[in-house]
Amino acid sequence: MDCRIIAVGTELVLGLTTDINSPYIARFLAENGVSSQQHQVVPDDVDEIAHAILDGLQHSDALIITGGLGPTFDDVTREALSKAAKRELVFDPKLAEILKERFPHHKPMPEFILRQAYLPEGAIPINPTLGTAPGIVLEIEDKIIFALPGVLDEMKVMLKDKVIPLLRKRVREKAILIKVIKTCGISEASLQERLEDIIARYENLNIRILVHLEEVHILLMAEGDIRAVEELISNVKDEITHRLGKLVYGFDEDTLEKVVGKLLRKHELKLAVAESCTGGLLSDRFTNIPGSSDYFWAGIIPYSTEMKRELIRVPSQVLLEHGTVSSFTAQAMADGARLIAEANIGLGITGIAGPTGGTPEKPVGLTFIALSTKTTRFCKRFIFTGSREVIKFKASQQALNLLRLFLLERFEEGEVS
């Protein structure tokens, strides 16, 4: 089965907003045995959307449309569905009652909210559970169309609970399976070199190497009998993971901060961070994880020289002799964060994110990341390239990886301090 994804939104076409729905849907479909060979972005225009629907029906077994289902005048996906299917929009009183129940009771409900209760004749509503926009299921001959809200969280729920079960009935034992192996600390070229024989040996498996910021992912994708595909991917995943060792930090939905957080929680460790050039980005990544207060003890941003001295206790002599961007200052920041927060581990980050502020001795991108425990102190020097935002992210990424490797070597391999 092939499914086409259509993202609706003028803001997407103009590049004002990034389409994050289509990649998510494509991945979720693939994991459930449905391929999506084409993604399309169309503006909030009835004729444009209807044209995309008709074209999609000619070339695909199913369509998933996201966006344009809200109550405002520019939400026109249901009108486009009506036009493409040549079916009148019909008021659904049961759906209208559900919309009224979902609207905050302390506010009068504007009449235009009920626009969402109109569906193309013969369509089945998907009741909203998070927002107020209902989804729509519409069958045209042997093809099926799903229209889902553009809000990511609302779309995810309907995709999982309604769309996939219906599509699975149409997909039999054949499946497409994907596994992503995530690495940090190795370049794309080096990874390719280390895996060349495996890639050549498994010609029936699609193996791709994908570069991300300070990460390289290995994507394994195979199509066929579901049991055979599961076994094939599992075997190759194990072989690659064994060969790469600690360069592999996780799989699929894992992130570095999630992996590090699990290690900290497992060993009941408290972490404190002192960030300068990253401006709190590392703390933000940790605190985006629910339950991170179990191990993330404090995040301090001593951005100025004065605050490095007064807030985080970097000695004046260190700042005077070595400057704010130096291994000595980073180490003192890591020590200070750990001691002030009474944590088990302290991290200190200082650097020059640019685009100005660099010198021949200390260029833009120069960053020092230090770690501190009662028994261990060390600092690593990096030179990152890219924009200010990219350098900040790379610094946070390497700080996470440095901490991950330390936790693996010190706590997972039996040498507990």
Side-chain angles (χ1 to χ4, degrees):
M1 168 178 280
D2 180 62
C3 182
R4 180 178 292 191
I5 302 167
I6 300 173
V8 175
T10 300
E11 73 280 7
L12 301 175
V13 176
L14 295 176
L16 301 175
T17 304
T18 302
D19 173 25
I20 57 176
N21 286 7
S22 297
Y24 181 88
I25 294 170
R27 172 68 186 271
F28 207 75
L29 289 176
E31 290 172 351
N32 287 276
V34 180
S35 67
S36 55
Q37 298 297 325
Q38 193 170 52
H39 307 174
Q40 189 172 0
V41 178
V42 295
D44 297 299
D45 180 274
V46 172
D47 292 336
E48 294 277 359
I49 302 169
H51 178 75
I53 292 170
L54 292 171
D55 185 65
L57 289 174
Q58 287 183 6
H59 300 95
S60 303
D61 305 302
L63 303 182
I64 296 180
I65 306 167
T66 64
L69 290 178
T72 57
F73 70 92
D74 57 343
D75 290 310
V76 294
T77 295
R78 62 179 66 80
E79 285 81 1
L81 272 172
S82 169
K83 184 170 184 174
K86 296 181 180 176
R87 300 184 192 179
E88 294 293 325
L89 287 172
V90 179
F91 185 71
D92 184 332
K94 290 183 180 177
L95 184 55
E97 287 304 314
I98 292 170
L99 296 179
K100 289 175 183 175
E101 289 174 4
R102 293 200 58 77
F103 202 81
H105 293 298
H106 62 282
K107 293 181 180 179
M109 188 181 79
E111 198 63 25
F112 68 82
I113 293 293
L114 293 179
R115 275 192 67 212
Q116 298 170 113
Y118 284 87
L119 305 174
E121 191 175 6
I124 299 171
I126 303 175
N127 295 338
T129 54
L130 296 179
T132 62
I136 299 172
V137 183
L138 180 63
E139 291 196 61
I140 300 177
E141 298 178 353
D142 61 338
K143 307 293 179 73
I144 187 165
I145 304 172
F146 301 93
L148 307 178
V151 177
L152 183 63
D153 288 341
E154 296 177 34
M155 181 277 291
K156 282 182 176 180
V157 172
M158 293 187 186
L159 182 69
K160 176 175 176 287
D161 294 344
K162 300 296 180 183
V163 176
I164 294 301
L166 285 170
L167 287 178
R168 273 182 177 155
K169 292 180 180 177
R170 298 174 174 232
V171 178
R172 299 181 181 174
E173 289 299 312
K174 193 175 180 183
I176 300 172
L177 292 185
I178 293 175
K179 174 64 70 178
V180 179
I181 304 171
K182 296 184 174 179
T183 73
C184 189
I186 186 170
S187 69
E188 176 189 21
S190 296
L191 197 60
Q192 169 85 23
E193 191 175 19
R194 293 181 68 161
L195 300 180
E196 273 182 351
D197 62 312
I198 296 177
I199 294 172
R201 196 172 348 120
Y202 291 99
E203 292 182 345
N204 54 340
L205 181 65
N206 190 345
I207 304 178
R208 298 181 186 180
I209 295 177
L210 310 173
V211 179
H212 298 261
L213 276 179
E214 295 298 286
E215 290 188 15
V216 183
H217 297 176
I218 305 153
L219 185 144
L220 311 178
M221 184 168 65
E223 180 177 3
D225 174 80
I226 189 165
R227 291 178 184 80
V229 166
E230 282 178 344
E231 184 177 356
L232 173 64
I233 285 190
S234 176
N235 290 340
V236 177
K237 184 208 80 172
D238 290 346
E239 186 173 357
I240 290 176
T241 302
H242 178 73
R243 179 171 296 183
L244 297 179
K246 285 184 285 195
L247 289 170
V248 174
Y249 79 77
F251 306 92
D252 299 325
E253 302 301 322
D254 286 339
T255 62
L256 264 176
E257 52 267 42
K258 283 184 183 176
V259 170
V260 170
K262 285 179 183 175
L263 289 170
L264 290 168
R265 178 183 281 117
K266 178 180 176 182
H267 296 288
E268 299 181 348
L269 297 168
K270 301 169 186 173
L271 173 70
V273 170
E275 305 181 64
S276 182
C277 66
T278 42
L281 179 59
L282 183 57
S283 301
D284 181 57
R285 292 179 65 177
F286 270 118
T287 54
N288 282 335
I289 303 169
S292 56
S293 58
D294 290 349
Y295 49 82
F296 187 75
W297 229 234
I300 306 167
I301 311 173
Y303 207 65
S304 68
T305 301
E306 289 75 14
M307 287 296 101
K308 286 181 177 64
R309 182 172 51 241
E310 296 175 12
L311 189 63
I312 205 70
R313 304 174 188 170
V314 178
S316 298
Q317 195 67 19
V318 167
L319 294 168
L320 186 64
E321 291 184 3
H322 304 285
T324 55
V325 179
S326 67
S327 62
F328 297 94
T329 297
Q331 192 65 70
M333 290 170 65
D335 293 339
R338 177 175 62 84
L339 293 170
I340 290 168
E342 297 183 351
N344 303 101
I345 302 172
L347 280 180
I349 307 174
T350 182
I352 305 169
T356 58
T359 66
E361 294 77 22
K362 294 185 178 181
V364 168
L366 176 66
T367 303
F368 294 93
I369 303 173
L371 184 145
S372 167
T373 72
K374 281 184 180 178
T375 58
T376 301
R377 296 173 79 243
F378 65 87
C379 181
K380 288 203 170 184
R381 177 182 184 271
F382 300 87
I383 294 186
F384 302 117
T385 57
S387 66
R388 183 177 179 85
E389 291 76 15
V390 166
I391 288 173
K392 289 171 66 177
F393 183 82
K394 287 181 174 179
S396 72
Q397 191 80 344
Q398 286 300 335
L400 285 166
N401 199 44
L402 181 145
L403 178 55
R404 179 183 72 91
L405 293 173
F406 170 77
L407 293 171
L408 289 177
E409 292 166 6
R410 184 59 61 88
F411 293 92
E412 292 289 294
E413 296 175 0
E415 188 186 343
V416 180
S417 66

